[in-house]
Amino acid sequence: MRRVAAWIAMGALAVVAALPLATPAPAGPGAPAEEFSAARAMSHVERVAEEPHPIGSPAIVRVRRYLTGQLRALGLDPELQTVTAPDWFGGSDRPVAVVNVLARIEGADPTGAIVLMGHYDTVPTTPGANDDAAAVATLLETGRALLAGPPLRNDVILLFTDGEEPAPRFGATAFVEQHRWAPDVGLVVNFEAVGGSGPSTLVETNGPGRALIGALADVSSQPAAWSFLTAIADGLGGSDTDFSPFRAEGIPGYHFAYLRGSPIYHTARDTPAAVSRGSLQHHGDHALALTRRFGRADLGALGPSGDASFFTVPGSLVIRYPAWWVLPLALLAAVALGAAVAGGARRGLRSGSALAAGVGVVTVLLLIAAVLTVAAWRLIIVIWPSPGVGASYLGLAVLVALSAATWFLGSRAAARRWGEPDIWFGVFAWWAGLALLTAIWLPGASYVFAWPALVGSLALLVPADGGSGPAAGVLRLVVVAGTALVLVVPALDVLFQLAQPRPGNPGSEMVDVVAFVAVMVVLVAGLVDPLVRAVAGRDGCDSRPDAAGLEQAVARGSR
């Protein structure tokens, strides 16, 4: 019964860990004028995404006229920036016009301008309700809300770019390189979507990372920001969107996107009906809050320079610290693990051969889980090449179950075959090793591994403060498992979104990324399983509330 209760508690912790992946409740049409309303924004999505409208097409002319009309209705004076580009989708030899639509909201005493950006063109295969009519609607509704409130210090430029879909990013590049307003820009905020739902997630930043993350944490009521994702984007050289030309020019800014349900990307299924009102609201909340925050600031002095490591935890709290903390934290986790191992060796609980065998067993299980998961996911998407959100999460459940089963069956078989290899140490060695490796090569992702390794190692070193043995075991279980789940669940979800099939744009698929999902599941299962068994008192586990008692419980429970 205790073991069942412990696993139910782990499930509850996983649900809590997933809270930062939720979207805000969409505001209705009667929301106060100075607030963003997804219901009001949806009216723009429906008009913009009536049909595909690639560059140079008659349909994009209709959308352009709609945008200029809406901007004039807000009391703004829109202007057009026209350049020429190859007929990318039409295949003719003649160039076509690429036309940016811009409008400027004047500030009271500007130190520069904030650009809110989204593209209004599509590929020929989709009406582009999420990619990127949702961003167009976000800009229009944000502009309306800004004009309904008190004036800001800085100027705000609403930039609706054309020609984002072809790789050269014609419209954004033309603005950065040619437009007279470009030198005024002190901050850019770009909005995109790859799927139809999910949180408006920070994909990348440029400029003083600590200052930008601090500002987002201060003003967002529901931030969705994890430095492992921005580190991946940075490692790839950026997300290759309209944000890229601004990034190349060194202009500070944010790039937000929502990712869930990406099999609709660039397909005829990307219609207004596929737009999540919660995701649209999240885009708008970020646009309005950040514009008001920086609209009152000195854009020439944004704040502390340098990068940061950061992650959102339940309660909409962004934990953040300077990037130079990353390597010392990973080293501290390794030292704490070494101290726990040394303490166990002194008490005769661990031998060198058992420790080496434990690392080897876990390594083999990770490889098996990764191979099986990739094979299973590839089979699933062959059978179901364009799954909906519910179906894709059903597939994720299968992958998680497969990876967890690899751990449970493999670790038990290893214990029966080789006696007592210290499998739990092998798990922690992997946590600590990955923390060190990522601290060196992908610093923004190191926190995912460093904190569970550190907290778990300290759980073996620090005695519980009184209480019964089972109570102390439960406390350790909750603290160690809770730390791991809060950090791993969002990373697992985002990586799974990146691994989705995208029939409308096969070049963007990264289906083999599910191998990392398998690695995370095995590491979490390996971390939690011995603690659950110790709490349950399996195989005569010693439940004494000190570190030695826990080590003996783990050692015996792994047999």
Side-chain angles (χ1 to χ4, degrees), residues 367-535:
L367 291 173
I368 292 172
V371 170
L372 290 178
T373 300
V374 170
W377 183 235
R378 284 192 168 274
L379 177 61
I380 289 171
I381 62 177
V382 166
I383 298 171
W384 207 334
S386 187
V389 173
S392 70
Y393 275 105
L394 181 60
L396 176 60
V398 171
L399 301 182
V400 169
L402 183 62
S403 300
T406 301
W407 163 260
F408 289 114
L409 296 176
S411 62
R412 303 299 188 270
R416 287 193 300 269
R417 173 67 177 82
W418 288 289
E420 293 188 43
D422 199 328
I423 301 176
W424 206 43
F425 168 78
V427 170
F428 268 105
W430 266 93
W431 281 103
L434 288 172
L436 283 170
L437 288 174
T438 51
I440 296 169
W441 285 296
L442 198 66
S446 184
Y447 75 87
V448 177
F449 309 104
W451 285 107
L454 178 59
V455 171
S457 298
L458 292 177
L460 291 180
L461 289 170
V462 180
D465 292 327
S468 65
V474 169
L475 177 62
R476 280 187 168 87
L477 173 62
V478 170
V479 171
V480 175
T483 300
L485 289 170
V486 162
L487 300 180
V488 166
V489 167
L492 187 151
D493 183 82
V494 172
L495 289 172
F496 182 63
Q497 304 313 321
L498 297 179
Q500 295 292 300
R502 286 183 278 277
N505 190 5
S508 68
E509 293 179 337
M510 295 185 287
V511 295
D512 291 343
V513 167
V514 294
F516 294 102
V517 172
V519 168
M520 289 184 172
V521 172
V522 169
L523 289 178
V524 171
L527 183 72
V528 173
D529 180 32
L531 289 170
V532 171
R533 292 169 66 81
V535 168

Side-chain angles (χ1 to χ4, degrees), residues 340-355 420-425 460 542 544 546-556 558-559:
V341 170
R346 283 195 301 270
R347 289 185 290 271
L349 296 174
R350 293 189 169 99
S351 67
S353 60
L355 296 178
E420 293 188 43
D422 199 328
I423 301 176
W424 206 43
F425 168 78
L460 291 180
D542 187 340
R544 286 180 292 162
D546 59 5
L550 180 66
E551 288 178 346
Q552 290 177 357
V554 169
R556 293 173 184 170
S558 66
R559 292 176 184 163

Side-chain angles (χ1 to χ4, degrees), residues 15-44:
V15 172
V16 171
L19 291 178
L21 298 169
T23 55
E34 66 275 11
E35 295 181 7
F36 186 96
S37 164
R40 291 191 288 251
M42 272 305 301
S43 64
H44 300 305

Side-chain angles (χ1 to χ4, degrees), residues 30-31 54 97 114 125 138 163 194 210 248 295 307 326 369 390 397 425 430 436 454 483 503 532 549:
I114 301 163
T125 55
T138 295
V194 179
R210 290 175 59 192
D307 292 329
V326 169
F425 168 78
W430 266 93
L436 283 170
L454 178 59
T483 300
V532 171

Side-chain angles (χ1 to χ4, degrees), residues 244-404:
S244 297
F246 289 82
R247 177 180 175 137
E249 288 296 314
I251 298 172
Y254 303 87
H255 169 49
F256 293 94
Y258 54 87
L259 311 171
R260 194 169 295 153
S262 64
I264 69 171
Y265 181 59
H266 283 188
T267 71
R269 295 162 57 199
D270 189 8
T271 64
V275 177
S276 163
R277 272 56 170 180
S279 300
L280 183 57
Q281 184 70 43
H282 211 184
H283 260 357
D285 288 349
H286 282 149
L288 192 56
L290 287 170
T291 303
R292 285 180 171 151
R293 162 64 174 79
F294 287 102
R296 297 187 293 266
D298 181 354
L299 293 178
L302 293 180
S305 60
D307 292 329
S309 185
F310 54 90
F311 48 92
T312 305
V313 298
S316 297
L317 177 65
V318 179
I319 306 296
R320 57 196 187 275
Y321 46 86
W324 66 265
W325 287 22
V326 169
L327 184 56
L329 182 64
L331 291 170
L332 181 61
V335 169
L337 177 58
V341 170
R346 283 195 301 270
R347 289 185 290 271
L349 296 174
R350 293 189 169 99
S351 67
S353 60
L355 296 178
V359 174
V361 166
V362 175
T363 302
V364 171
L365 294 181
L366 288 171
L367 291 173
I368 292 172
V371 170
L372 290 178
T373 300
V374 170
W377 183 235
R378 284 192 168 274
L379 177 61
I380 289 171
I381 62 177
V382 166
I383 298 171
W384 207 334
S386 187
V389 173
S392 70
Y393 275 105
L394 181 60
L396 176 60
V398 171
L399 301 182
V400 169
L402 183 62
S403 300

Side-chain angles (χ1 to χ4, degrees), residues 62-140:
R62 176 193 64 80
V63 175
R64 190 178 308 134
R65 289 172 179 163
Y66 177 78
L67 293 179
T68 56
Q70 290 299 306
L71 292 170
R72 291 191 183 99
L74 293 176
L76 300 174
D77 184 20
E79 70 169 68
L80 305 179
Q81 179 193 14
T82 303
V83 296
T84 59
D87 188 5
W88 199 272
F89 299 113
S92 68
D93 294 333
R94 62 176 180 82
V96 298
V98 172
V99 185
N100 292 332
V101 179
L102 310 92
R104 189 162 184 155
I105 302 173
E106 301 289 342
D109 184 22
T111 63
I114 301 163
V115 168
L116 299 180
M117 180 169 59
H119 69 89
Y120 71 98
D121 64 308
T122 70
V123 296
T125 55
T126 180
N130 288 285
D131 178 33
D132 202 23
V136 170
T138 295
L139 268 58
L140 289 172

